[in-house]
Amino acid sequence: LAAPSVPQADLWNHGAHLRAALAAVLIYGLGAFVVTDVRSRLVVLGIVLAGALVQAGFGAFQYTNPQAVPWLGWISDLCPQRMEGHAFRARGFYHNANHLAWLLNFTGAFALALGIWGRVGLRSRLLLLWTAAMLFGACVFTQSRGGIFGMAAALVVILLASSGVLLRGVVGRNGR
């Protein structure tokens, strides 16, 4: 039996779905069985929100400084020149600006919901609301149509739920 002549890069790509599925199962298992107390989950949440803020900050830097800056070393490679006739899109450390928009929307909606409904102190609530505002604001720099639509949808759902429309049910009913 002869092994098929497949380049090494193709073999690596064939296993990408399996590796992604195994990573998802591992992360779920850690969340469900290891990180079970409230303090540990808040630490994980803090790390995720801090990482999203770093991505948002770097994306804002890319958007406002489209010219590569040589003194930044390897970071300059992540700030390509503005293409003629095309607006520059912030993409953080992602290859695609749409991926950054997803991260910012996901974490921004989570921070907003926790800031509105969470049982946290005033300082934590204000920090979460400020974080949500920064993440949603940075999403605009990605110029992602789906990202901006997703941001608007998240804001509408959270505002409707906060006003009680989703909690009461259909308008005109007592919610019983």
Side-chain angles (χ1 to χ4, degrees), residues 7-20:
Q8 187 65 28
D10 288 343
L11 288 176
W12 177 255
N13 288 335
H14 287 318
H17 290 9
L18 176 62
R19 287 189 304 278

Side-chain angles (χ1 to χ4, degrees), residues 48 51-56 58-59 62 74 77-80 88-107 142:
V48 169
L53 281 173
V54 167
Q55 289 280 357
F58 190 68
Q62 285 176 324
W74 65 271
D77 297 336
L78 299 173
C79 301
F88 183 78
R89 298 173 64 189
R91 56 187 168 86
F93 290 111
Y94 289 102
H95 181 70
N96 190 330
N98 297 328
H99 300 161
L100 177 63
W102 175 85
L103 173 74
L104 297 177
N105 284 335
F106 178 76
T107 54
T142 65

Side-chain angles (χ1 to χ4, degrees), residues 32-147:
F33 302 113
V34 177
V35 184
T36 55
D37 60 310
V38 174
R39 185 158 180 81
S40 298
R41 289 187 177 182
L42 286 176
V43 167
V44 170
L45 174 65
I47 291 170
V48 169
L49 290 178
L53 281 173
V54 167
Q55 289 280 357
F58 190 68
F61 173 79
Q62 285 176 324
Y63 185 78
T64 57
N65 299 302
Q67 310 304 331
V69 181
W71 54 269
L72 288 176
W74 65 271
I75 295 178
S76 299
D77 297 336
L78 299 173
C79 301
Q81 298 285 337
R82 185 184 299 263
M83 293 172 33
E84 195 64 36
H86 296 277
F88 183 78
R89 298 173 64 189
R91 56 187 168 86
F93 290 111
Y94 289 102
H95 181 70
N96 190 330
N98 297 328
H99 300 161
L100 177 63
W102 175 85
L103 173 74
L104 297 177
N105 284 335
F106 178 76
T107 54
F110 196 82
L112 181 63
L114 191 58
I116 292 173
W117 301 322
R119 292 181 291 177
V120 295
L122 180 62
R123 286 185 182 171
S124 298
R125 185 176 309 278
L126 291 175
L127 181 63
L128 285 165
L129 294 175
W130 176 84
T131 300
M134 292 298 110
L135 295 174
F136 283 141
C139 181
V140 174
F141 293 147
T142 65
Q143 298 177 5
S144 170
R145 293 180 305 250

Side-chain angles (χ1 to χ4, degrees), residues 3-5 27 29-30 58 61 66 76 80 99 107-108 117 149 165 174 176:
S5 175
I27 290 171
L30 286 173
F58 190 68
F61 173 79
S76 299
H99 300 161
T107 54
W117 301 322
F149 177 74
V165 171
N174 292 335
R176 296 179 193 190

